Each structure stands twice: as C-alpha cells, then as structure tokens.
C-alpha cells in the first residue's frame, strides 16, 4: 500500500477521508460498517470517479480516542486504499454543486476574489495568480499541482498537499472559470439607460464603423469641451485619430448613443500589468449635466473591475474637478485631484456599479 497522508496525530472534531476502492457492489457498505464498528459517524459522502475505480470522499466525526492510523488500518483491512485523512470543518458539508454555484456568485460580484473562490471549490491549500509564461502547466507534482489559464496573460496555479486533484474536480473548476469568463465578457454588452430628462440612451462598445458618427459628434462639440478632453486647441477630430480613439491599443471605447447619434465617448486603456487603467470621457455640450458622463464613468469602472483592474487614473486640466465629481456621482471613491490634474480612483474602495436610471 502507498504511504497515506496523515496530517497530524491529534484527533479533530471532523475528518475528511479519501478512500480509493474498486467499483463493485457492496464495497462502500463494507467501509460504512467498518466505520460504524469504530463508532465513527458519517456526515457526508462525495463519490469521485477515477480510472480503475472510484474515490469516495467521506466526512466523519470520529470516536473519542480513535487515531487516524487506526482508521487507515481498518480501511486497508477491507482491501481499500486510504489516500489521505485531513481535518475538515462541518461548515464544508454542503452539496458540491450548490457550493460551486454560491462561490461563482461571489466571484461574479467581485472578480478580484476569483483565486479565493477557486481555492474553495477545489479545497486547495493555495491558489496563486502568476503570469501565464511562468505558470509551467507541465509541472503537476504527482497531481498535487494544476494550472488554469485565465486569459492570454495570466494563470491560476492551485496546490493541494493533502490529496492529488482528480478529473471531476478539475472539470468542475474549469466550468467555474468558464462561467466567470463569460460573465466578465458580458459586462461589455450594450446597456440601455434613461437620462434625467427621460431620453433613452444605449451604452455600447465602439467599433471602427462608428467613425463617421463619432466625427460628427466632435463637430457638434464646442472648442471648450474639446480642449477639456484633449488639452489642445482643435475644432474637429482629425480623421487619422478616429480609429485610435475607437480601438485604442489594449483598450476599448464606450459610446453613448441616442438614436443614430453618438453623444458621448469614453475610453479605457489598461497599463502594462492590467491593474491600473486610464479612463477618459467626452460628452457633447447639449447632453452635458444629463447623467451621460456619470453613466459612461460607471460602466467603464464596472468593465475595468471585471477585467481585474484595481485602480483607474484620469488626467484633467489643473483646477478642473468635473471628472472628479462625475466619478463621485457614479458611486466610485476618487481621491482628491492632484495639483497637476491627475485623478486616482480605487475600484476596491467602493464597488463599481452602473445605475439603471441616471
């Protein structure tokens, strides 16, 4: 028999026991009878199919004075392999599917908790976030280490000393991460809002095909509005800038659209690490003070948070606090602007949200 992982000698209130056995009728009953003879109370059972048999994870309350070595010997006497015994918690006795869905809901609400939620679903000892190039998925450490690629740049590395991961657990974790990725990408879908004056506005991602409408919006803006956004004197948006405005490198643009007209443009451009992103706004004069800028700021903050960004920065003209007040109205927590006009917004200090009505 291979060596069993026994984490300590002191009896705990609850133990988690993993037993590998042949998939034959009556095998589980024999183990249950043996545990009953040792006065162990079975609190939970989870069956994990593995090649050549099954892996039963049993959560028990052991009899007073029973050692883990005695339980291992009893299981081996029935011709089964006890792969590990570790301390557990009665709060973990939740249906696996329900626990996974509950964990997923927490990660959807707060994407920064993705690693924490994955650790919980896998009952792993540790889950760390590393650059994808450094993850080394071939290093499995006998099944005790596994790598999940999150996107093209980062990965989650899970480790569990007390027992190797089995395929059913990995499939469950992959489904969880796929769900979270779908939720993250769905944040960028169009959003319909109602302005303070009752006008209907749609926020959606900008595309190259929007160049004409965005150019027309700039033509309707005053020089004062354009100077506040671009910090240079201009009457219209140069054609050569339009594509970069709509599809910025590594980033995205967000348009506020009423009918066929673009009335506002926001940009989100992540930095090299993705933890900090620059945000900027432009709303044409006739739509200002109607909640459009607030909606754009809130939606961009929500998208940034869903993509793992922790902080936004914005640059305004010194002495101008318009974007600071816009961030406050969007429910964010901006720091007071610095003298040179740099504004910092901590996305973890206040949950990024978008109001359904401006």
């Amino acid at each position: 028999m291979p060596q069993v992982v026994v984490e300590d000698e002191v009896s705990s209130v609850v133990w988690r026991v993993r037993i590998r056995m042949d998939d034959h009728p009556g095998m589980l009953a024999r183990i249950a009878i043996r545990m009953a003879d040792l006065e162990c109370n079975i609190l939970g059972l989870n069956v994990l199919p593995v090649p050549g048999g099954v892996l039963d994870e049993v959560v028990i309350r052991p009899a007073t004075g029973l050692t883990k070595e005695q339980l291992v010997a009893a299981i081996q006497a029935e011709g089964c392999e006890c792969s590990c015994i570790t301390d557990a918690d009665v709060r973990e006795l939740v249906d696996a599917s329900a626990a996974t869905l509950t964990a997923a809901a927490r990660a959807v609400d707060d994407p920064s908790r993705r690693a924490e939620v994955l650790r919980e679903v896998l009952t792993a000892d540790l889950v760390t976030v590393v650059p994808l190039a450094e993850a080394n998925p071939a290093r499995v450490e006998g099944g005790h280490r596994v790598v999940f690629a999150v996107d093209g740049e980062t990965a989650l590395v899970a480790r569990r000393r007390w027992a190797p991961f089995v395929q059913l657990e990995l499939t469950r974790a992959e489904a969880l991460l796929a769900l979270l990725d779908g939720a993250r990408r769905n944040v960028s879908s169009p959003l319909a809002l109602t302005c303070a004056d009752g006008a209907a506005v749609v926020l959606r991602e900008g595309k190259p095909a929007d160049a004409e409408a965005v150019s027309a919006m700039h033509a309707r803006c005053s020089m004062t509005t354009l100077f506040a956004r671009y910090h240079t004197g201009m009457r219209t948006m140069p054609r050569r800038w339009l594509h970069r405005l709509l599809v910025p490198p590594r980033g995205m643009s967000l348009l506020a659209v009423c009918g066929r007209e673009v009335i506002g443009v926001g940009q989100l451009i992540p930095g090299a690490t993705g933890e900090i992103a620059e945000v900027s706004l432009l709303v044409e004069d006739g739509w200002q003070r109607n909640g459009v800028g607030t909606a754009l700021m809130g939606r961009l903050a929500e998208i940034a948070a869903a993509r793992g960004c922790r902080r936004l920065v914005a640059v305004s003209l010194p002495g101008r606090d318009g974007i600071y007040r816009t961030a406050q109205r969007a429910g964010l927590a901006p720091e007071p602007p610095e003298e040179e006009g740099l504004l910092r917004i901590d996305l973890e200090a206040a949950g990024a949200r978008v109001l359904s009505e401006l």
Side-chain angles (χ1 to χ4, degrees):
M1 291 286 183
Q3 184 177 4
V4 181
V5 176
V6 178
E7 293 202 332
D8 56 49
E9 302 296 331
V10 180
S11 178
S12 173
V13 176
V14 179
W15 292 346
R16 184 193 302 274
V17 186
R18 286 203 164 186
I19 307 168
R20 188 183 181 107
M21 63 181 70
D22 294 331
D23 191 11
H24 294 157
M27 287 299 298
L28 180 58
R30 288 165 54 185
I31 291 296
I33 292 172
R34 177 71 70 157
M35 289 186 173
D37 290 341
L38 295 174
E39 299 184 358
C40 296
N41 185 19
I42 297 177
L43 304 177
L45 171 66
N46 189 21
V47 179
L48 306 171
V50 295
V54 293
L55 186 67
D56 286 358
E57 183 177 272
V58 186
V59 179
I60 67 169
R61 191 185 303 277
T64 302
L66 180 69
T67 67
K68 294 177 179 178
E69 286 73 14
Q70 290 172 330
L71 180 59
V72 170
I75 293 171
Q76 292 175 345
E78 293 295 337
C80 299
E81 174 189 334
C82 181
S83 61
C84 75
I85 300 179
T86 185
D87 293 345
D89 192 316
V90 292
R91 290 174 296 182
E92 300 174 11
L93 297 178
V94 181
D95 174 72
S97 298
T100 301
L101 289 172
T102 301
R106 291 204 310 275
V108 168
D109 290 339
D110 185 358
S112 67
R113 303 180 66 180
R114 181 171 50 190
E116 169 194 331
V117 165
L118 182 63
R119 184 191 63 77
E120 179 180 322
V121 168
L122 287 174
T123 57
D125 298 322
L126 180 68
V127 174
T128 54
V129 182
V130 301
L132 183 60
E134 301 174 12
N136 191 10
R139 180 185 158 198
V140 296
E141 299 178 1
H144 292 266
R145 181 182 187 272
V146 64
V147 174
F148 299 93
V150 176
D151 50 35
E153 299 179 355
T154 59
L156 296 174
V157 179
R159 295 177 176 86
R160 189 171 66 188
R161 187 180 73 86
W162 60 270
F165 299 106
V166 300
Q167 187 56 49
L168 181 61
E169 293 176 308
L170 300 182
T171 301
R172 187 182 298 147
E174 289 168 354
L176 169 67
L177 293 176
L179 173 64
L180 297 180
D181 183 61
R184 176 188 64 80
R185 287 184 282 105
N186 191 54
V187 172
S188 300
S189 61
L191 177 69
L193 301 169
T194 303
C195 287
D197 63 359
V201 173
V202 174
L203 304 184
R204 63 169 176 82
E205 188 169 356
K207 302 176 181 178
D210 296 308
E212 289 296 333
V214 171
S215 178
M217 184 205 75
H218 280 77
R220 296 192 299 269
C221 289
S222 66
M223 289 188 64
T224 300
T225 293
L226 294 177
F227 187 80
R229 165 62 179 87
Y230 298 107
H231 307 169
T232 184
M234 56 187 298
R235 291 184 178 275
T236 60
M237 166 63 68
R239 303 290 298 182
R240 65 182 183 279
W241 289 6
L242 284 173
H243 180 79
R244 190 177 182 86
L245 177 69
L246 287 164
V247 189
R250 302 188 312 274
M252 63 164 294
S253 63
L254 185 68
L255 306 184
V257 181
C258 183
R260 295 185 178 182
E261 290 188 341
V262 173
I263 60 173
V265 179
Q267 269 194 323
L268 183 70
I269 305 178
T273 65
E275 292 192 355
I276 300 177
E278 182 179 353
V279 64
S280 59
L281 302 175
L282 173 66
V283 177
E284 71 170 85
D285 298 61
W287 286 88
Q288 293 175 13
R289 299 183 217 28
N290 205 14
V292 176
T294 301
L296 285 169
M297 174 65 81
R299 189 62 165 171
L300 288 171
E302 187 178 42
I303 294 171
R307 295 182 177 183
C309 182
R310 297 177 181 274
R311 181 183 288 264
L312 296 178
V313 296
V315 179
S316 60
L317 293 173
R320 301 286 185 90
D321 63 351
I323 197 164
Y324 173 75
R325 290 184 282 106
T326 298
Q328 287 184 315
R329 288 194 296 268
L332 304 177
E335 300 175 6
E338 299 178 6
E339 289 185 5
E340 62 273 21
L342 181 65
L343 178 71
R344 304 177 191 274
I345 304 170
D346 188 350
L347 295 181
E348 295 181 332
R353 59 186 176 87
V354 175
L355 304 179
S356 59
E357 186 164 319
L358 306 183

